[in-house]
Amino acid sequence: MAERKKVTLNSLFQKASKGEPISWLTCYDYPTAYLQEQAGIDMILVGDSLGMTMLGYDSTLPVTMNDMIRHTQAVRRGSPNAFLVGDMPYMSYQASSEDAVRNAGRFMAEAGCDAIKLEGGREMADRIKAIVAAGIPAIGHLGLTPQSVAALGGFRLQGKGAAQARKIVEDATILEEAGACAILLELVPDRVCKLITERSRNTLIMSLGSGPDAHGQLLIYHDMFGLYPKFTPKMAKVFGNAGEVILEGLKTYHQEVKEKSFPAAENYFGMKDEEFEELTKSL
Ligand code: KIV
């Protein structure tokens, strides 16, 4: 495969200006990052969704900065060239701009990120400003924001009515003015996403379940491949059922161990007769 060039903020904006949609996926580990790198995925998000998909929590709230840094480092090792985004976990930025800058800085210095993402609208504008002022590209996240899922009434469409949609549109402008290089719109109606994309001047608008009219698309990797056992959201397309393939393989392994057909001769190593004799004599 031809050597891949590093994806930068500049190259992302160039794609957007040419009308080339940007591909973005979540990723939490080295082998998956390696595959995403080979597939040429433009952007990778190490989402705090790893709390649910990798660590088995019921929400993203228990995830810590140290969890995020460890997984992000592994992803960077697997994908040196994708534009890597670290997701700020719960309470790593809500309390103060100082916390926000310090923790965003950890993503850049310890995990080799290209940008960070945080959830929230106008109430987070000063956090975005402070992070950007520290020289760190910041991505906003509007619509369904999983860290506030209880306040939002569950995992459901946001901005269905005109008043709530207007707030999301205004928030997008406020985050753009605060310096966000991109904004993720999660689970908002397609027309709201289109409107925000048309209004944006210096900010990439990315869609997760918000329709086609954005500068790019994000999906949760585990939803794409049937790897999250609890549910698959409507917005996710299953591109292949790896979960089923893996389960079949596990059942076969279990069966073969029980009936002693695994391991076969090609799965282990022998030893020369004279070496084995010497070994047994010496015991
Ligand atoms: O944590 C995550 O993966 C996210 C997505 C839901 C956008 O923030």
PDB file of all heavy atoms in Angstrom, residues 26 28 45-50 60 87 117 119 141 144 146 184 186 208 218 220 235, ligand 1:
ATOM      1  N   THR A  26     -15.068   5.779  15.726  1.00  0.00           N
ATOM      2  CA  THR A  26     -14.496   5.584  17.060  1.00  0.00           C
ATOM      3  C   THR A  26     -13.534   4.403  17.002  1.00  0.00           C
ATOM      4  O   THR A  26     -13.644   3.525  16.141  1.00  0.00           O
ATOM      5  CB  THR A  26     -15.568   5.286  18.127  1.00  0.00           C
ATOM      6  OG1 THR A  26     -16.237   4.066  17.781  1.00  0.00           O
ATOM      7  CG2 THR A  26     -16.554   6.415  18.268  1.00  0.00           C
ATOM      8  N   TYR A  28     -10.714   2.213  19.984  1.00  0.00           N
ATOM      9  CA  TYR A  28     -10.241   2.222  21.383  1.00  0.00           C
ATOM     10  C   TYR A  28      -9.005   1.354  21.619  1.00  0.00           C
ATOM     11  O   TYR A  28      -8.559   1.226  22.758  1.00  0.00           O
ATOM     12  CB  TYR A  28     -11.356   1.707  22.310  1.00  0.00           C
ATOM     13  CG  TYR A  28     -12.731   2.202  21.972  1.00  0.00           C
ATOM     14  CD1 TYR A  28     -13.630   1.393  21.299  1.00  0.00           C
ATOM     15  CD2 TYR A  28     -13.138   3.493  22.322  1.00  0.00           C
ATOM     16  CE1 TYR A  28     -14.907   1.842  20.978  1.00  0.00           C
ATOM     17  CE2 TYR A  28     -14.409   3.947  22.006  1.00  0.00           C
ATOM     18  CZ  TYR A  28     -15.291   3.112  21.325  1.00  0.00           C
ATOM     19  OH  TYR A  28     -16.544   3.562  21.008  1.00  0.00           O
ATOM     20  N   LEU A  45     -11.883   8.893  16.601  1.00  0.00           N
ATOM     21  CA  LEU A  45     -12.266   9.419  17.916  1.00  0.00           C
ATOM     22  C   LEU A  45     -12.079   8.319  18.953  1.00  0.00           C
ATOM     23  O   LEU A  45     -12.685   7.255  18.842  1.00  0.00           O
ATOM     24  CB  LEU A  45     -13.747   9.836  17.903  1.00  0.00           C
ATOM     25  CG  LEU A  45     -14.336  10.205  19.277  1.00  0.00           C
ATOM     26  CD1 LEU A  45     -13.701  11.492  19.816  1.00  0.00           C
ATOM     27  CD2 LEU A  45     -15.856  10.360  19.203  1.00  0.00           C
ATOM     28  N   VAL A  46     -11.220   8.583  19.924  1.00  0.00           N
ATOM     29  CA  VAL A  46     -11.194   7.688  21.087  1.00  0.00           C
ATOM     30  C   VAL A  46     -12.258   8.249  22.021  1.00  0.00           C
ATOM     31  O   VAL A  46     -12.025   9.210  22.763  1.00  0.00           O
ATOM     32  CB  VAL A  46      -9.805   7.638  21.735  1.00  0.00           C
ATOM     33  CG1 VAL A  46      -9.801   6.632  22.884  1.00  0.00           C
ATOM     34  CG2 VAL A  46      -8.757   7.251  20.699  1.00  0.00           C
ATOM     35  N   GLY A  47     -13.465   7.698  21.894  1.00  0.00           N
ATOM     36  CA  GLY A  47     -14.614   8.238  22.609  1.00  0.00           C
ATOM     37  C   GLY A  47     -14.673   7.702  24.029  1.00  0.00           C
ATOM     38  O   GLY A  47     -14.212   6.590  24.307  1.00  0.00           O
ATOM     39  N   ASP A  48     -15.293   8.501  24.901  1.00  0.00           N
ATOM     40  CA  ASP A  48     -15.490   7.955  26.259  1.00  0.00           C
ATOM     41  C   ASP A  48     -16.588   6.890  26.243  1.00  0.00           C
ATOM     42  O   ASP A  48     -16.853   6.243  27.251  1.00  0.00           O
ATOM     43  CB  ASP A  48     -15.761   9.059  27.289  1.00  0.00           C
ATOM     44  CG  ASP A  48     -17.054   9.813  27.031  1.00  0.00           C
ATOM     45  OD1 ASP A  48     -17.688   9.602  25.972  1.00  0.00           O
ATOM     46  OD2 ASP A  48     -17.442  10.618  27.914  1.00  0.00           O
ATOM     47  N   SER A  49     -17.187   6.664  25.045  1.00  0.00           N
ATOM     48  CA  SER A  49     -18.072   5.507  24.862  1.00  0.00           C
ATOM     49  C   SER A  49     -17.318   4.214  25.157  1.00  0.00           C
ATOM     50  O   SER A  49     -17.947   3.175  25.336  1.00  0.00           O
ATOM     51  CB  SER A  49     -18.640   5.477  23.439  1.00  0.00           C
ATOM     52  OG  SER A  49     -17.623   5.607  22.478  1.00  0.00           O
ATOM     53  N   LEU A  50     -16.000   4.280  25.255  1.00  0.00           N
ATOM     54  CA  LEU A  50     -15.235   3.084  25.611  1.00  0.00           C
ATOM     55  C   LEU A  50     -15.661   2.557  26.978  1.00  0.00           C
ATOM     56  O   LEU A  50     -15.490   1.365  27.285  1.00  0.00           O
ATOM     57  CB  LEU A  50     -13.722   3.320  25.531  1.00  0.00           C
ATOM     58  CG  LEU A  50     -13.025   4.233  26.545  1.00  0.00           C
ATOM     59  CD1 LEU A  50     -12.714   3.544  27.861  1.00  0.00           C
ATOM     60  CD2 LEU A  50     -11.711   4.739  25.947  1.00  0.00           C
ATOM     61  N   THR A  60     -21.219   6.454  30.211  1.00  0.00           N
ATOM     62  CA  THR A  60     -19.833   6.910  30.007  1.00  0.00           C
ATOM     63  C   THR A  60     -19.282   7.592  31.266  1.00  0.00           C
ATOM     64  O   THR A  60     -18.101   7.933  31.310  1.00  0.00           O
ATOM     65  CB  THR A  60     -19.784   7.911  28.837  1.00  0.00           C
ATOM     66  OG1 THR A  60     -20.642   9.025  29.137  1.00  0.00           O
ATOM     67  CG2 THR A  60     -20.245   7.282  27.535  1.00  0.00           C
ATOM     68  N   ASP A  87     -11.434  12.256  23.492  1.00  0.00           N
ATOM     69  CA  ASP A  87     -12.734  12.701  24.008  1.00  0.00           C
ATOM     70  C   ASP A  87     -12.585  13.010  25.506  1.00  0.00           C
ATOM     71  O   ASP A  87     -12.173  12.136  26.278  1.00  0.00           O
ATOM     72  CB  ASP A  87     -13.731  11.547  23.796  1.00  0.00           C
ATOM     73  CG  ASP A  87     -15.165  12.007  23.836  1.00  0.00           C
ATOM     74  OD1 ASP A  87     -15.417  13.221  23.731  1.00  0.00           O
ATOM     75  OD2 ASP A  87     -16.046  11.132  23.944  1.00  0.00           O
ATOM     76  N   LYS A 117     -12.229  16.629  21.976  1.00  0.00           N
ATOM     77  CA  LYS A 117     -13.663  16.926  21.820  1.00  0.00           C
ATOM     78  C   LYS A 117     -14.288  17.031  23.196  1.00  0.00           C
ATOM     79  O   LYS A 117     -13.919  16.287  24.108  1.00  0.00           O
ATOM     80  CB  LYS A 117     -14.351  15.803  21.029  1.00  0.00           C
ATOM     81  CG  LYS A 117     -15.870  15.930  20.990  1.00  0.00           C
ATOM     82  CD  LYS A 117     -16.518  14.877  20.119  1.00  0.00           C
ATOM     83  CE  LYS A 117     -16.862  13.600  20.850  1.00  0.00           C
ATOM     84  NZ  LYS A 117     -17.749  13.730  22.019  1.00  0.00           N
ATOM     85  N   GLU A 119     -18.303  17.925  25.198  1.00  0.00           N
ATOM     86  CA  GLU A 119     -19.751  18.023  24.990  1.00  0.00           C
ATOM     87  C   GLU A 119     -20.282  19.340  25.552  1.00  0.00           C
ATOM     88  O   GLU A 119     -19.785  19.833  26.564  1.00  0.00           O
ATOM     89  CB  GLU A 119     -20.456  16.855  25.709  1.00  0.00           C
ATOM     90  CG  GLU A 119     -20.072  15.501  25.157  1.00  0.00           C
ATOM     91  CD  GLU A 119     -20.803  14.344  25.839  1.00  0.00           C
ATOM     92  OE1 GLU A 119     -21.742  14.585  26.636  1.00  0.00           O
ATOM     93  OE2 GLU A 119     -20.432  13.193  25.578  1.00  0.00           O
ATOM     94  N   HIS A 141     -19.563  19.342  20.623  1.00  0.00           N
ATOM     95  CA  HIS A 141     -20.473  18.186  20.452  1.00  0.00           C
ATOM     96  C   HIS A 141     -21.853  18.636  20.934  1.00  0.00           C
ATOM     97  O   HIS A 141     -22.032  18.931  22.121  1.00  0.00           O
ATOM     98  CB  HIS A 141     -19.915  17.020  21.292  1.00  0.00           C
ATOM     99  CG  HIS A 141     -20.717  15.748  21.222  1.00  0.00           C
ATOM    100  ND1 HIS A 141     -20.217  14.552  21.703  1.00  0.00           N
ATOM    101  CD2 HIS A 141     -21.963  15.464  20.760  1.00  0.00           C
ATOM    102  CE1 HIS A 141     -21.123  13.587  21.534  1.00  0.00           C
ATOM    103  NE2 HIS A 141     -22.194  14.120  20.981  1.00  0.00           N
ATOM    104  N   LEU A 144     -27.527  15.116  20.961  1.00  0.00           N
ATOM    105  CA  LEU A 144     -27.487  14.120  22.027  1.00  0.00           C
ATOM    106  C   LEU A 144     -26.068  14.065  22.582  1.00  0.00           C
ATOM    107  O   LEU A 144     -25.130  13.688  21.869  1.00  0.00           O
ATOM    108  CB  LEU A 144     -27.885  12.737  21.509  1.00  0.00           C
ATOM    109  CG  LEU A 144     -27.795  11.673  22.610  1.00  0.00           C
ATOM    110  CD1 LEU A 144     -28.879  11.888  23.650  1.00  0.00           C
ATOM    111  CD2 LEU A 144     -27.870  10.288  22.041  1.00  0.00           C
ATOM    112  N   PRO A 146     -23.983  12.291  25.374  1.00  0.00           N
ATOM    113  CA  PRO A 146     -24.188  11.164  26.294  1.00  0.00           C
ATOM    114  C   PRO A 146     -23.857  11.469  27.762  1.00  0.00           C
ATOM    115  O   PRO A 146     -24.441  10.859  28.654  1.00  0.00           O
ATOM    116  CB  PRO A 146     -23.272  10.075  25.738  1.00  0.00           C
ATOM    117  CG  PRO A 146     -23.150  10.399  24.284  1.00  0.00           C
ATOM    118  CD  PRO A 146     -23.194  11.898  24.199  1.00  0.00           C
ATOM    119  N   LEU A 184     -19.489  18.235  16.273  1.00  0.00           N
ATOM    120  CA  LEU A 184     -20.219  16.999  16.011  1.00  0.00           C
ATOM    121  C   LEU A 184     -21.683  17.209  16.376  1.00  0.00           C
ATOM    122  O   LEU A 184     -21.991  17.667  17.481  1.00  0.00           O
ATOM    123  CB  LEU A 184     -19.628  15.864  16.873  1.00  0.00           C
ATOM    124  CG  LEU A 184     -20.435  14.562  16.830  1.00  0.00           C
ATOM    125  CD1 LEU A 184     -20.373  13.929  15.454  1.00  0.00           C
ATOM    126  CD2 LEU A 184     -19.917  13.590  17.878  1.00  0.00           C
ATOM    127  N   GLU A 186     -24.892  15.124  17.045  1.00  0.00           N
ATOM    128  CA  GLU A 186     -25.346  13.752  17.280  1.00  0.00           C
ATOM    129  C   GLU A 186     -26.864  13.724  17.404  1.00  0.00           C
ATOM    130  O   GLU A 186     -27.435  14.416  18.259  1.00  0.00           O
ATOM    131  CB  GLU A 186     -24.693  13.179  18.551  1.00  0.00           C
ATOM    132  CG  GLU A 186     -25.165  11.748  18.830  1.00  0.00           C
ATOM    133  CD  GLU A 186     -24.425  11.048  19.958  1.00  0.00           C
ATOM    134  OE1 GLU A 186     -23.417  11.611  20.473  1.00  0.00           O
ATOM    135  OE2 GLU A 186     -24.849   9.946  20.343  1.00  0.00           O
ATOM    136  N   LEU A 208     -23.432  12.511  13.275  1.00  0.00           N
ATOM    137  CA  LEU A 208     -23.619  11.149  13.792  1.00  0.00           C
ATOM    138  C   LEU A 208     -25.122  10.950  13.901  1.00  0.00           C
ATOM    139  O   LEU A 208     -25.775  11.565  14.758  1.00  0.00           O
ATOM    140  CB  LEU A 208     -22.938  10.988  15.165  1.00  0.00           C
ATOM    141  CG  LEU A 208     -23.237   9.692  15.934  1.00  0.00           C
ATOM    142  CD1 LEU A 208     -22.892   8.449  15.124  1.00  0.00           C
ATOM    143  CD2 LEU A 208     -22.474   9.658  17.253  1.00  0.00           C
ATOM    144  N   LEU A 218     -19.645  10.345  11.280  1.00  0.00           N
ATOM    145  CA  LEU A 218     -19.028   9.561  12.363  1.00  0.00           C
ATOM    146  C   LEU A 218     -19.915   8.364  12.657  1.00  0.00           C
ATOM    147  O   LEU A 218     -21.150   8.482  12.654  1.00  0.00           O
ATOM    148  CB  LEU A 218     -18.899  10.429  13.634  1.00  0.00           C
ATOM    149  CG  LEU A 218     -18.483   9.698  14.928  1.00  0.00           C
ATOM    150  CD1 LEU A 218     -17.061   9.146  14.835  1.00  0.00           C
ATOM    151  CD2 LEU A 218     -18.578  10.625  16.139  1.00  0.00           C
ATOM    152  N   ILE A 220     -20.021   4.767  15.442  1.00  0.00           N
ATOM    153  CA  ILE A 220     -19.388   4.028  16.544  1.00  0.00           C
ATOM    154  C   ILE A 220     -18.989   2.655  15.994  1.00  0.00           C
ATOM    155  O   ILE A 220     -19.842   1.902  15.497  1.00  0.00           O
ATOM    156  CB  ILE A 220     -20.382   3.833  17.722  1.00  0.00           C
ATOM    157  CG1 ILE A 220     -21.017   5.159  18.138  1.00  0.00           C
ATOM    158  CG2 ILE A 220     -19.705   3.125  18.890  1.00  0.00           C
ATOM    159  CD1 ILE A 220     -20.171   6.100  18.886  1.00  0.00           C
ATOM    160  N   MET A 235     -29.516   4.645  14.151  1.00  0.00           N
ATOM    161  CA  MET A 235     -28.666   5.440  13.252  1.00  0.00           C
ATOM    162  C   MET A 235     -27.447   4.652  12.739  1.00  0.00           C
ATOM    163  O   MET A 235     -26.786   5.074  11.798  1.00  0.00           O
ATOM    164  CB  MET A 235     -28.185   6.699  13.970  1.00  0.00           C
ATOM    165  CG  MET A 235     -27.288   6.424  15.151  1.00  0.00           C
ATOM    166  SD  MET A 235     -27.042   7.943  16.079  1.00  0.00           S
ATOM    167  CE  MET A 235     -26.034   7.375  17.442  1.00  0.00           C
TER     168      MET A 235
HETATM  169  O1  KIV B   1     -17.809   8.791  23.243  1.00  0.00           O
HETATM  170  C1  KIV B   1     -18.138   8.758  22.064  1.00  0.00           C
HETATM  171  O2  KIV B   1     -17.886   7.801  21.313  1.00  0.00           O
HETATM  172  C2  KIV B   1     -18.847   9.893  21.551  1.00  0.00           C
HETATM  173  C3  KIV B   1     -19.753   9.606  20.419  1.00  0.00           C
HETATM  174  C4  KIV B   1     -21.074   9.147  20.957  1.00  0.00           C
HETATM  175  C5  KIV B   1     -19.902  10.762  19.564  1.00  0.00           C
HETATM  176  O3  KIV B   1     -18.760  10.960  22.065  1.00  0.00           O
END
